[in-house]
Amino acid sequence: MLAIKQEALRTITALPDDADIDDIMYRLYILDKIRKGQQAIEHKQVLSSEELKREIETW
């Protein structure tokens, strides 16, 4: 994986020149969520479909 700063810069650079700060912040937020999801998968910190169904039933 690219370093976080490199990913952020690449993401910002890919935005149109007229992107505002909200667009930039949203893209970086999504980038962060994807990165954290990938790390959770790597560390086996995920629920199976069955575990999720059981958890939802307790709501």
Side-chain angles (χ1 to χ4, degrees), residues 1-51:
M1 273 193 222
L2 293 174
I4 294 171
K5 181 178 176 181
Q6 290 173 325
E7 283 188 64
L9 289 172
R10 186 183 64 182
T11 299
I12 293 169
T13 302
L15 289 170
D17 289 339
D18 63 346
D20 62 18
I21 191 70
D22 289 331
D23 295 331
I24 294 168
M25 290 174 60
Y26 177 73
R27 293 291 176 103
L28 293 177
Y29 171 79
I30 296 299
L31 180 64
D32 179 56
K33 293 300 177 186
I34 291 169
R35 190 174 183 86
K36 286 178 179 175
Q38 290 171 332
Q39 288 174 345
I41 291 168
E42 288 174 11
H43 294 104
K44 309 282 192 250
Q45 298 170 332
V46 294
L47 297 175
S48 69
S49 296
E50 292 303 317
E51 290 170 322

mmCIF file of all heavy atoms in Angstrom, residues 1-51:
data_model
loop_
_atom_site.group_PDB
_atom_site.id
_atom_site.type_symbol
_atom_site.label_atom_id
_atom_site.label_comp_id
_atom_site.label_asym_id
_atom_site.label_seq_id
_atom_site.Cartn_x
_atom_site.Cartn_y
_atom_site.Cartn_z
ATOM 1 N N MET A 1 0.826 -1.186 0.000
ATOM 2 C CA MET A 1 0.000 0.000 0.000
ATOM 3 C C MET A 1 0.873 1.254 0.000
ATOM 4 O O MET A 1 1.951 1.253 0.561
ATOM 5 C CB MET A 1 -0.860 0.027 1.256
ATOM 6 C CG MET A 1 -2.154 -0.709 1.148
ATOM 7 S SD MET A 1 -3.217 -0.280 2.522
ATOM 8 C CE MET A 1 -3.825 -1.895 2.880
ATOM 9 N N LEU A 2 0.329 2.260 -0.621
ATOM 10 C CA LEU A 2 1.036 3.529 -0.613
ATOM 11 C C LEU A 2 0.994 4.139 0.784
ATOM 12 O O LEU A 2 0.112 3.849 1.576
ATOM 13 C CB LEU A 2 0.372 4.508 -1.586
ATOM 14 C CG LEU A 2 0.440 4.196 -3.070
ATOM 15 C CD1 LEU A 2 -0.392 5.197 -3.851
ATOM 16 C CD2 LEU A 2 1.861 4.223 -3.567
ATOM 17 N N ALA A 3 1.938 4.980 1.067
ATOM 18 C CA ALA A 3 1.914 5.712 2.324
ATOM 19 C C ALA A 3 0.657 6.583 2.342
ATOM 20 O O ALA A 3 0.164 7.008 1.297
ATOM 21 C CB ALA A 3 3.163 6.571 2.460
ATOM 22 N N ILE A 4 0.148 6.831 3.518
ATOM 23 C CA ILE A 4 -1.095 7.587 3.656
ATOM 24 C C ILE A 4 -0.997 8.947 2.966
ATOM 25 O O ILE A 4 -1.911 9.367 2.255
ATOM 26 C CB ILE A 4 -1.455 7.759 5.142
ATOM 27 C CG1 ILE A 4 -1.771 6.405 5.757
ATOM 28 C CG2 ILE A 4 -2.632 8.695 5.303
ATOM 29 C CD1 ILE A 4 -1.940 6.438 7.266
ATOM 30 N N LYS A 5 0.105 9.638 3.169
ATOM 31 C CA LYS A 5 0.266 10.966 2.567
ATOM 32 C C LYS A 5 0.236 10.869 1.041
ATOM 33 O O LYS A 5 -0.393 11.691 0.375
ATOM 34 C CB LYS A 5 1.577 11.595 3.044
ATOM 35 C CG LYS A 5 1.812 12.983 2.496
ATOM 36 C CD LYS A 5 3.089 13.564 3.054
ATOM 37 C CE LYS A 5 3.406 14.921 2.459
ATOM 38 N NZ LYS A 5 4.648 15.470 2.992
ATOM 39 N N GLN A 6 0.898 9.866 0.489
ATOM 40 C CA GLN A 6 0.910 9.697 -0.962
ATOM 41 C C GLN A 6 -0.489 9.407 -1.492
ATOM 42 O O GLN A 6 -0.893 9.941 -2.524
ATOM 43 C CB GLN A 6 1.862 8.575 -1.363
ATOM 44 C CG GLN A 6 3.316 8.922 -1.144
ATOM 45 C CD GLN A 6 4.223 7.729 -1.384
ATOM 46 O OE1 GLN A 6 3.864 6.593 -1.089
ATOM 47 N NE2 GLN A 6 5.406 7.998 -1.915
ATOM 48 N N GLU A 7 -1.246 8.555 -0.783
ATOM 49 C CA GLU A 7 -2.621 8.266 -1.194
ATOM 50 C C GLU A 7 -3.479 9.529 -1.144
ATOM 51 O O GLU A 7 -4.283 9.771 -2.040
ATOM 52 C CB GLU A 7 -3.240 7.200 -0.294
ATOM 53 C CG GLU A 7 -2.781 5.800 -0.596
ATOM 54 C CD GLU A 7 -3.578 4.782 0.192
ATOM 55 O OE1 GLU A 7 -4.798 4.669 -0.030
ATOM 56 O OE2 GLU A 7 -2.974 4.105 1.031
ATOM 57 N N ALA A 8 -3.324 10.302 -0.085
ATOM 58 C CA ALA A 8 -4.099 11.528 0.061
ATOM 59 C C ALA A 8 -3.772 12.500 -1.070
ATOM 60 O O ALA A 8 -4.678 13.088 -1.685
ATOM 61 C CB ALA A 8 -3.831 12.168 1.417
ATOM 62 N N LEU A 9 -2.509 12.678 -1.352
ATOM 63 C CA LEU A 9 -2.102 13.590 -2.426
ATOM 64 C C LEU A 9 -2.615 13.121 -3.783
ATOM 65 O O LEU A 9 -3.093 13.926 -4.582
ATOM 66 C CB LEU A 9 -0.583 13.732 -2.461
ATOM 67 C CG LEU A 9 0.023 14.514 -1.298
ATOM 68 C CD1 LEU A 9 1.543 14.420 -1.327
ATOM 69 C CD2 LEU A 9 -0.433 15.962 -1.325
ATOM 70 N N ARG A 10 -2.543 11.825 -4.030
ATOM 71 C CA ARG A 10 -3.041 11.275 -5.290
ATOM 72 C C ARG A 10 -4.552 11.503 -5.411
ATOM 73 O O ARG A 10 -5.057 11.880 -6.460
ATOM 74 C CB ARG A 10 -2.720 9.787 -5.390
ATOM 75 C CG ARG A 10 -3.075 9.185 -6.746
ATOM 76 C CD ARG A 10 -2.815 7.733 -6.781
ATOM 77 N NE ARG A 10 -3.732 7.123 -5.790
ATOM 78 C CZ ARG A 10 -3.768 5.847 -5.503
ATOM 79 N NH1 ARG A 10 -2.939 5.020 -6.077
ATOM 80 N NH2 ARG A 10 -4.629 5.370 -4.630
ATOM 81 N N THR A 11 -5.259 11.292 -4.314
ATOM 82 C CA THR A 11 -6.711 11.481 -4.300
ATOM 83 C C THR A 11 -7.069 12.937 -4.557
ATOM 84 O O THR A 11 -7.959 13.237 -5.362
ATOM 85 C CB THR A 11 -7.290 11.013 -2.946
ATOM 86 O OG1 THR A 11 -7.006 9.623 -2.785
ATOM 87 C CG2 THR A 11 -8.778 11.235 -2.872
ATOM 88 N N ILE A 12 -6.383 13.850 -3.889
ATOM 89 C CA ILE A 12 -6.662 15.277 -4.065
ATOM 90 C C ILE A 12 -6.310 15.729 -5.487
ATOM 91 O O ILE A 12 -7.058 16.471 -6.109
ATOM 92 C CB ILE A 12 -5.900 16.115 -3.012
ATOM 93 C CG1 ILE A 12 -6.468 15.820 -1.620
ATOM 94 C CG2 ILE A 12 -5.986 17.601 -3.332
ATOM 95 C CD1 ILE A 12 -5.644 16.374 -0.478
ATOM 96 N N THR A 13 -5.207 15.249 -5.998
ATOM 97 C CA THR A 13 -4.777 15.622 -7.344
ATOM 98 C C THR A 13 -5.778 15.159 -8.399
ATOM 99 O O THR A 13 -5.965 15.834 -9.417
ATOM 100 C CB THR A 13 -3.386 15.035 -7.644
ATOM 101 O OG1 THR A 13 -2.468 15.511 -6.651
ATOM 102 C CG2 THR A 13 -2.885 15.433 -9.015
ATOM 103 N N ALA A 14 -6.440 14.043 -8.154
ATOM 104 C CA ALA A 14 -7.403 13.505 -9.118
ATOM 105 C C ALA A 14 -8.704 14.301 -9.151
ATOM 106 O O ALA A 14 -9.482 14.179 -10.099
ATOM 107 C CB ALA A 14 -7.700 12.045 -8.796
ATOM 108 N N LEU A 15 -8.946 15.128 -8.143
ATOM 109 C CA LEU A 15 -10.160 15.935 -8.110
ATOM 110 C C LEU A 15 -10.074 17.067 -9.136
ATOM 111 O O LEU A 15 -8.976 17.527 -9.467
ATOM 112 C CB LEU A 15 -10.361 16.541 -6.714
ATOM 113 C CG LEU A 15 -10.763 15.582 -5.610
ATOM 114 C CD1 LEU A 15 -10.676 16.267 -4.252
ATOM 115 C CD2 LEU A 15 -12.160 15.049 -5.848
ATOM 116 N N PRO A 16 -11.221 17.533 -9.618
ATOM 117 C CA PRO A 16 -11.192 18.669 -10.555
ATOM 118 C C PRO A 16 -10.656 19.923 -9.867
ATOM 119 O O PRO A 16 -10.726 20.053 -8.638
ATOM 120 C CB PRO A 16 -12.663 18.845 -10.956
ATOM 121 C CG PRO A 16 -13.471 18.048 -10.007
ATOM 122 C CD PRO A 16 -12.565 17.054 -9.348
ATOM 123 N N ASP A 17 -10.137 20.839 -10.644
ATOM 124 C CA ASP A 17 -9.551 22.067 -10.098
ATOM 125 C C ASP A 17 -10.552 22.927 -9.337
ATOM 126 O O ASP A 17 -10.168 23.688 -8.459
ATOM 127 C CB ASP A 17 -8.907 22.902 -11.212
ATOM 128 C CG ASP A 17 -7.636 22.262 -11.740
ATOM 129 O OD1 ASP A 17 -7.044 21.430 -11.020
ATOM 130 O OD2 ASP A 17 -7.253 22.585 -12.880
ATOM 131 N N ASP A 18 -11.829 22.772 -9.648
ATOM 132 C CA ASP A 18 -12.830 23.584 -8.961
ATOM 133 C C ASP A 18 -13.424 22.887 -7.727
ATOM 134 O O ASP A 18 -14.410 23.356 -7.157
ATOM 135 C CB ASP A 18 -13.945 24.011 -9.918
ATOM 136 C CG ASP A 18 -14.719 22.825 -10.474
ATOM 137 O OD1 ASP A 18 -14.254 21.672 -10.341
ATOM 138 O OD2 ASP A 18 -15.801 23.055 -11.051
ATOM 139 N N ALA A 19 -12.807 21.798 -7.291
ATOM 140 C CA ALA A 19 -13.283 21.091 -6.097
ATOM 141 C C ALA A 19 -13.143 22.006 -4.884
ATOM 142 O O ALA A 19 -12.146 22.715 -4.740
ATOM 143 C CB ALA A 19 -12.473 19.818 -5.885
ATOM 144 N N ASP A 20 -14.170 21.992 -4.040
ATOM 145 C CA ASP A 20 -14.079 22.814 -2.837
ATOM 146 C C ASP A 20 -13.587 21.973 -1.651
ATOM 147 O O ASP A 20 -13.347 20.777 -1.778
ATOM 148 C CB ASP A 20 -15.422 23.497 -2.532
ATOM 149 C CG ASP A 20 -16.549 22.520 -2.248
ATOM 150 O OD1 ASP A 20 -16.282 21.341 -1.945
ATOM 151 O OD2 ASP A 20 -17.720 22.951 -2.322
ATOM 152 N N ILE A 21 -13.439 22.601 -0.506
ATOM 153 C CA ILE A 21 -12.876 21.937 0.657
ATOM 154 C C ILE A 21 -13.753 20.768 1.111
ATOM 155 O O ILE A 21 -13.256 19.746 1.575
ATOM 156 C CB ILE A 21 -12.607 22.929 1.816
ATOM 157 C CG1 ILE A 21 -11.778 22.294 2.919
ATOM 158 C CG2 ILE A 21 -13.910 23.462 2.376
ATOM 159 C CD1 ILE A 21 -10.355 22.031 2.543
ATOM 160 N N ASP A 22 -15.081 20.907 0.934
ATOM 161 C CA ASP A 22 -15.984 19.812 1.301
ATOM 162 C C ASP A 22 -15.738 18.582 0.431
ATOM 163 O O ASP A 22 -15.765 17.456 0.928
ATOM 164 C CB ASP A 22 -17.447 20.251 1.193
ATOM 165 C CG ASP A 22 -17.840 21.235 2.280
ATOM 166 O OD1 ASP A 22 -17.247 21.174 3.381
ATOM 167 O OD2 ASP A 22 -18.727 22.062 2.028
ATOM 168 N N ASP A 23 -15.506 18.787 -0.862
ATOM 169 C CA ASP A 23 -15.198 17.668 -1.762
ATOM 170 C C ASP A 23 -13.916 16.972 -1.330
ATOM 171 O O ASP A 23 -13.837 15.739 -1.292
ATOM 172 C CB ASP A 23 -15.028 18.161 -3.205
ATOM 173 C CG ASP A 23 -16.298 18.724 -3.806
ATOM 174 O OD1 ASP A 23 -17.398 18.292 -3.402
ATOM 175 O OD2 ASP A 23 -16.183 19.615 -4.677
ATOM 176 N N ILE A 24 -12.912 17.761 -1.008
ATOM 177 C CA ILE A 24 -11.617 17.211 -0.597
ATOM 178 C C ILE A 24 -11.761 16.426 0.702
ATOM 179 O O ILE A 24 -11.294 15.290 0.818
ATOM 180 C CB ILE A 24 -10.571 18.333 -0.446
ATOM 181 C CG1 ILE A 24 -10.292 18.967 -1.808
ATOM 182 C CG2 ILE A 24 -9.286 17.808 0.188
ATOM 183 C CD1 ILE A 24 -9.494 20.250 -1.741
ATOM 184 N N MET A 25 -12.450 17.018 1.668
ATOM 185 C CA MET A 25 -12.616 16.356 2.966
ATOM 186 C C MET A 25 -13.416 15.066 2.820
ATOM 187 O O MET A 25 -13.093 14.056 3.450
ATOM 188 C CB MET A 25 -13.283 17.305 3.958
ATOM 189 C CG MET A 25 -12.367 18.447 4.365
ATOM 190 S SD MET A 25 -13.158 19.688 5.397
ATOM 191 C CE MET A 25 -13.666 18.737 6.790
ATOM 192 N N TYR A 26 -14.452 15.078 1.978
ATOM 193 C CA TYR A 26 -15.256 13.876 1.776
ATOM 194 C C TYR A 26 -14.417 12.766 1.161
ATOM 195 O O TYR A 26 -14.464 11.624 1.606
ATOM 196 C CB TYR A 26 -16.466 14.186 0.885
ATOM 197 C CG TYR A 26 -17.296 12.970 0.594
ATOM 198 C CD1 TYR A 26 -18.104 12.404 1.582
ATOM 199 C CD2 TYR A 26 -17.267 12.363 -0.651
ATOM 200 C CE1 TYR A 26 -18.852 11.269 1.334
ATOM 201 C CE2 TYR A 26 -18.020 11.228 -0.909
ATOM 202 C CZ TYR A 26 -18.807 10.693 0.082
ATOM 203 O OH TYR A 26 -19.550 9.560 -0.183
ATOM 204 N N ARG A 27 -13.638 13.097 0.149
ATOM 205 C CA ARG A 27 -12.788 12.078 -0.498
ATOM 206 C C ARG A 27 -11.778 11.509 0.485
ATOM 207 O O ARG A 27 -11.524 10.310 0.504
ATOM 208 C CB ARG A 27 -12.060 12.664 -1.711
ATOM 209 C CG ARG A 27 -12.949 13.029 -2.850
ATOM 210 C CD ARG A 27 -13.541 11.791 -3.519
ATOM 211 N NE ARG A 27 -14.464 12.139 -4.551
ATOM 212 C CZ ARG A 27 -14.202 12.090 -5.856
ATOM 213 N NH1 ARG A 27 -13.037 11.666 -6.282
ATOM 214 N NH2 ARG A 27 -15.114 12.447 -6.723
ATOM 215 N N LEU A 28 -11.182 12.355 1.304
ATOM 216 C CA LEU A 28 -10.216 11.872 2.289
ATOM 217 C C LEU A 28 -10.899 11.027 3.358
ATOM 218 O O LEU A 28 -10.335 10.035 3.831
ATOM 219 C CB LEU A 28 -9.458 13.041 2.909
ATOM 220 C CG LEU A 28 -8.524 13.786 1.959
ATOM 221 C CD1 LEU A 28 -7.890 14.972 2.666
ATOM 222 C CD2 LEU A 28 -7.475 12.870 1.362
ATOM 223 N N TYR A 29 -12.120 11.389 3.735
ATOM 224 C CA TYR A 29 -12.901 10.602 4.687
ATOM 225 C C TYR A 29 -13.153 9.202 4.129
ATOM 226 O O TYR A 29 -12.939 8.198 4.820
ATOM 227 C CB TYR A 29 -14.226 11.313 4.972
ATOM 228 C CG TYR A 29 -15.208 10.504 5.764
ATOM 229 C CD1 TYR A 29 -15.074 10.375 7.141
ATOM 230 C CD2 TYR A 29 -16.269 9.864 5.135
ATOM 231 C CE1 TYR A 29 -15.988 9.619 7.873
ATOM 232 C CE2 TYR A 29 -17.179 9.124 5.857
ATOM 233 C CZ TYR A 29 -17.037 8.994 7.221
ATOM 234 O OH TYR A 29 -17.928 8.248 7.932
ATOM 235 N N ILE A 30 -13.583 9.127 2.871
ATOM 236 C CA ILE A 30 -13.841 7.834 2.231
ATOM 237 C C ILE A 30 -12.548 7.030 2.126
ATOM 238 O O ILE A 30 -12.524 5.824 2.408
ATOM 239 C CB ILE A 30 -14.479 8.030 0.834
ATOM 240 C CG1 ILE A 30 -15.851 8.679 0.963
ATOM 241 C CG2 ILE A 30 -14.550 6.719 0.072
ATOM 242 C CD1 ILE A 30 -16.865 7.887 1.754
ATOM 243 N N LEU A 31 -11.471 7.677 1.752
ATOM 244 C CA LEU A 31 -10.168 7.013 1.662
ATOM 245 C C LEU A 31 -9.785 6.410 3.011
ATOM 246 O O LEU A 31 -9.332 5.265 3.091
ATOM 247 C CB LEU A 31 -9.102 8.011 1.207
ATOM 248 C CG LEU A 31 -7.682 7.500 1.056
ATOM 249 C CD1 LEU A 31 -7.588 6.450 -0.031
ATOM 250 C CD2 LEU A 31 -6.748 8.660 0.752
ATOM 251 N N ASP A 32 -10.015 7.148 4.090
ATOM 252 C CA ASP A 32 -9.714 6.668 5.435
ATOM 253 C C ASP A 32 -10.569 5.460 5.789
ATOM 254 O O ASP A 32 -10.068 4.471 6.337
ATOM 255 C CB ASP A 32 -9.936 7.789 6.444
ATOM 256 C CG ASP A 32 -9.658 7.360 7.870
ATOM 257 O OD1 ASP A 32 -8.533 6.885 8.146
ATOM 258 O OD2 ASP A 32 -10.566 7.498 8.712
ATOM 259 N N LYS A 33 -11.860 5.503 5.474
ATOM 260 C CA LYS A 33 -12.755 4.392 5.788
ATOM 261 C C LYS A 33 -12.368 3.137 5.013
ATOM 262 O O LYS A 33 -12.388 2.024 5.552
ATOM 263 C CB LYS A 33 -14.217 4.765 5.502
ATOM 264 C CG LYS A 33 -14.743 5.829 6.416
ATOM 265 C CD LYS A 33 -14.683 5.369 7.866
ATOM 266 C CE LYS A 33 -15.137 6.420 8.825
ATOM 267 N NZ LYS A 33 -14.955 6.045 10.214
ATOM 268 N N ILE A 34 -11.997 3.287 3.757
ATOM 269 C CA ILE A 34 -11.558 2.144 2.953
ATOM 270 C C ILE A 34 -10.289 1.546 3.547
ATOM 271 O O ILE A 34 -10.165 0.331 3.706
ATOM 272 C CB ILE A 34 -11.333 2.555 1.485
ATOM 273 C CG1 ILE A 34 -12.678 2.884 0.836
ATOM 274 C CG2 ILE A 34 -10.587 1.474 0.713
ATOM 275 C CD1 ILE A 34 -12.568 3.545 -0.520
ATOM 276 N N ARG A 35 -9.346 2.403 3.887
ATOM 277 C CA ARG A 35 -8.073 1.942 4.460
ATOM 278 C C ARG A 35 -8.303 1.196 5.778
ATOM 279 O O ARG A 35 -7.726 0.134 6.007
ATOM 280 C CB ARG A 35 -7.166 3.148 4.670
ATOM 281 C CG ARG A 35 -5.762 2.819 5.036
ATOM 282 C CD ARG A 35 -4.955 4.133 5.062
ATOM 283 N NE ARG A 35 -3.589 3.867 5.343
ATOM 284 C CZ ARG A 35 -2.668 3.545 4.424
ATOM 285 N NH1 ARG A 35 -3.008 3.466 3.178
ATOM 286 N NH2 ARG A 35 -1.433 3.318 4.774
ATOM 287 N N LYS A 36 -9.174 1.732 6.637
ATOM 288 C CA LYS A 36 -9.466 1.066 7.905
ATOM 289 C C LYS A 36 -10.178 -0.260 7.683
ATOM 290 O O LYS A 36 -9.931 -1.232 8.399
ATOM 291 C CB LYS A 36 -10.286 1.981 8.804
ATOM 292 C CG LYS A 36 -9.464 3.109 9.391
ATOM 293 C CD LYS A 36 -10.290 4.034 10.248
ATOM 294 C CE LYS A 36 -9.412 5.139 10.828
ATOM 295 N NZ LYS A 36 -10.179 6.132 11.565
ATOM 296 N N GLY A 37 -11.046 -0.320 6.687
ATOM 297 C CA GLY A 37 -11.720 -1.573 6.354
ATOM 298 C C GLY A 37 -10.734 -2.622 5.868
ATOM 299 O O GLY A 37 -10.817 -3.797 6.253
ATOM 300 N N GLN A 38 -9.788 -2.220 5.044
ATOM 301 C CA GLN A 38 -8.766 -3.146 4.561
ATOM 302 C C GLN A 38 -7.908 -3.663 5.716
ATOM 303 O O GLN A 38 -7.565 -4.850 5.767
ATOM 304 C CB GLN A 38 -7.885 -2.470 3.514
ATOM 305 C CG GLN A 38 -8.603 -2.210 2.222
ATOM 306 C CD GLN A 38 -7.809 -1.357 1.254
ATOM 307 O OE1 GLN A 38 -6.971 -0.539 1.649
ATOM 308 N NE2 GLN A 38 -8.082 -1.519 -0.028
ATOM 309 N N GLN A 39 -7.581 -2.783 6.652
ATOM 310 C CA GLN A 39 -6.790 -3.201 7.811
ATOM 311 C C GLN A 39 -7.581 -4.168 8.683
ATOM 312 O O GLN A 39 -7.023 -5.141 9.204
ATOM 313 C CB GLN A 39 -6.362 -1.984 8.630
ATOM 314 C CG GLN A 39 -5.306 -1.153 7.955
ATOM 315 C CD GLN A 39 -4.991 0.132 8.700
ATOM 316 O OE1 GLN A 39 -5.729 0.557 9.584
ATOM 317 N NE2 GLN A 39 -3.885 0.768 8.332
ATOM 318 N N ALA A 40 -8.880 -3.932 8.846
ATOM 319 C CA ALA A 40 -9.724 -4.822 9.639
ATOM 320 C C ALA A 40 -9.752 -6.208 9.003
ATOM 321 O O ALA A 40 -9.681 -7.225 9.705
ATOM 322 C CB ALA A 40 -11.135 -4.259 9.764
ATOM 323 N N ILE A 41 -9.837 -6.254 7.685
ATOM 324 C CA ILE A 41 -9.831 -7.541 6.987
ATOM 325 C C ILE A 41 -8.499 -8.246 7.199
ATOM 326 O O ILE A 41 -8.464 -9.448 7.492
ATOM 327 C CB ILE A 41 -10.123 -7.342 5.488
ATOM 328 C CG1 ILE A 41 -11.573 -6.895 5.296
ATOM 329 C CG2 ILE A 41 -9.829 -8.611 4.702
ATOM 330 C CD1 ILE A 41 -11.896 -6.403 3.901
ATOM 331 N N GLU A 42 -7.403 -7.527 7.064
ATOM 332 C CA GLU A 42 -6.076 -8.111 7.248
ATOM 333 C C GLU A 42 -5.893 -8.683 8.646
ATOM 334 O O GLU A 42 -5.219 -9.692 8.833
ATOM 335 C CB GLU A 42 -4.989 -7.069 6.985
ATOM 336 C CG GLU A 42 -4.836 -6.700 5.527
ATOM 337 C CD GLU A 42 -3.845 -5.561 5.324
ATOM 338 O OE1 GLU A 42 -3.124 -5.195 6.285
ATOM 339 O OE2 GLU A 42 -3.797 -5.026 4.203
ATOM 340 N N HIS A 43 -6.487 -8.031 9.648
ATOM 341 C CA HIS A 43 -6.339 -8.470 11.041
ATOM 342 C C HIS A 43 -7.494 -9.356 11.502
ATOM 343 O O HIS A 43 -7.655 -9.598 12.698
ATOM 344 C CB HIS A 43 -6.215 -7.245 11.962
ATOM 345 C CG HIS A 43 -4.957 -6.477 11.726
ATOM 346 N ND1 HIS A 43 -4.938 -5.284 11.043
ATOM 347 C CD2 HIS A 43 -3.674 -6.739 12.059
ATOM 348 C CE1 HIS A 43 -3.689 -4.838 10.980
ATOM 349 N NE2 HIS A 43 -2.907 -5.709 11.585
ATOM 350 N N LYS A 44 -8.292 -9.814 10.537
ATOM 351 C CA LYS A 44 -9.411 -10.723 10.831
ATOM 352 C C LYS A 44 -10.390 -10.117 11.834
ATOM 353 O O LYS A 44 -10.953 -10.817 12.661
ATOM 354 C CB LYS A 44 -8.901 -12.073 11.336
ATOM 355 C CG LYS A 44 -7.840 -12.720 10.483
ATOM 356 C CD LYS A 44 -8.447 -13.374 9.267
ATOM 357 C CE LYS A 44 -7.427 -14.264 8.588
ATOM 358 N NZ LYS A 44 -6.958 -13.794 7.344
ATOM 359 N N GLN A 45 -10.597 -8.819 11.779
ATOM 360 C CA GLN A 45 -11.516 -8.129 12.683
ATOM 361 C C GLN A 45 -12.840 -7.868 11.961
ATOM 362 O O GLN A 45 -13.307 -6.738 11.874
ATOM 363 C CB GLN A 45 -10.901 -6.819 13.168
ATOM 364 C CG GLN A 45 -9.641 -7.010 13.962
ATOM 365 C CD GLN A 45 -8.927 -5.707 14.234
ATOM 366 O OE1 GLN A 45 -9.029 -4.752 13.478
ATOM 367 N NE2 GLN A 45 -8.195 -5.672 15.331
ATOM 368 N N VAL A 46 -13.421 -8.936 11.446
ATOM 369 C CA VAL A 46 -14.666 -8.823 10.695
ATOM 370 C C VAL A 46 -15.665 -9.844 11.213
ATOM 371 O O VAL A 46 -15.299 -10.805 11.897
ATOM 372 C CB VAL A 46 -14.426 -9.038 9.186
ATOM 373 C CG1 VAL A 46 -13.568 -7.928 8.609
ATOM 374 C CG2 VAL A 46 -13.780 -10.378 8.919
ATOM 375 N N LEU A 47 -16.928 -9.626 10.901
ATOM 376 C CA LEU A 47 -17.976 -10.564 11.279
ATOM 377 C C LEU A 47 -18.389 -11.378 10.057
ATOM 378 O O LEU A 47 -18.427 -10.853 8.942
ATOM 379 C CB LEU A 47 -19.214 -9.811 11.791
ATOM 380 C CG LEU A 47 -19.060 -8.979 13.052
ATOM 381 C CD1 LEU A 47 -20.354 -8.223 13.331
ATOM 382 C CD2 LEU A 47 -18.696 -9.845 14.226
ATOM 383 N N SER A 48 -18.743 -12.625 10.289
ATOM 384 C CA SER A 48 -19.303 -13.421 9.206
ATOM 385 C C SER A 48 -20.743 -12.968 8.988
ATOM 386 O O SER A 48 -21.329 -12.268 9.819
ATOM 387 C CB SER A 48 -19.274 -14.908 9.566
ATOM 388 O OG SER A 48 -20.203 -15.154 10.617
ATOM 389 N N SER A 49 -21.336 -13.389 7.903
ATOM 390 C CA SER A 49 -22.730 -13.030 7.627
ATOM 391 C C SER A 49 -23.641 -13.533 8.730
ATOM 392 O O SER A 49 -24.568 -12.840 9.166
ATOM 393 C CB SER A 49 -23.176 -13.626 6.289
ATOM 394 O OG SER A 49 -22.432 -13.085 5.236
ATOM 395 N N GLU A 50 -23.393 -14.740 9.200
ATOM 396 C CA GLU A 50 -24.214 -15.320 10.261
ATOM 397 C C GLU A 50 -24.070 -14.540 11.569
ATOM 398 O O GLU A 50 -25.047 -14.291 12.262
ATOM 399 C CB GLU A 50 -23.870 -16.794 10.479
ATOM 400 C CG GLU A 50 -24.269 -17.680 9.318
ATOM 401 C CD GLU A 50 -25.760 -17.588 9.007
ATOM 402 O OE1 GLU A 50 -26.583 -17.579 9.940
ATOM 403 O OE2 GLU A 50 -26.086 -17.486 7.806
ATOM 404 N N GLU A 51 -22.849 -14.151 11.899
ATOM 405 C CA GLU A 51 -22.630 -13.367 13.118
ATOM 406 C C GLU A 51 -23.352 -12.020 13.028
ATOM 407 O O GLU A 51 -23.960 -11.559 13.997
ATOM 408 C CB GLU A 51 -21.133 -13.132 13.343
ATOM 409 C CG GLU A 51 -20.373 -14.379 13.729
ATOM 410 C CD GLU A 51 -18.863 -14.162 13.711
ATOM 411 O OE1 GLU A 51 -18.367 -13.450 12.805
ATOM 412 O OE2 GLU A 51 -18.199 -14.693 14.604
#
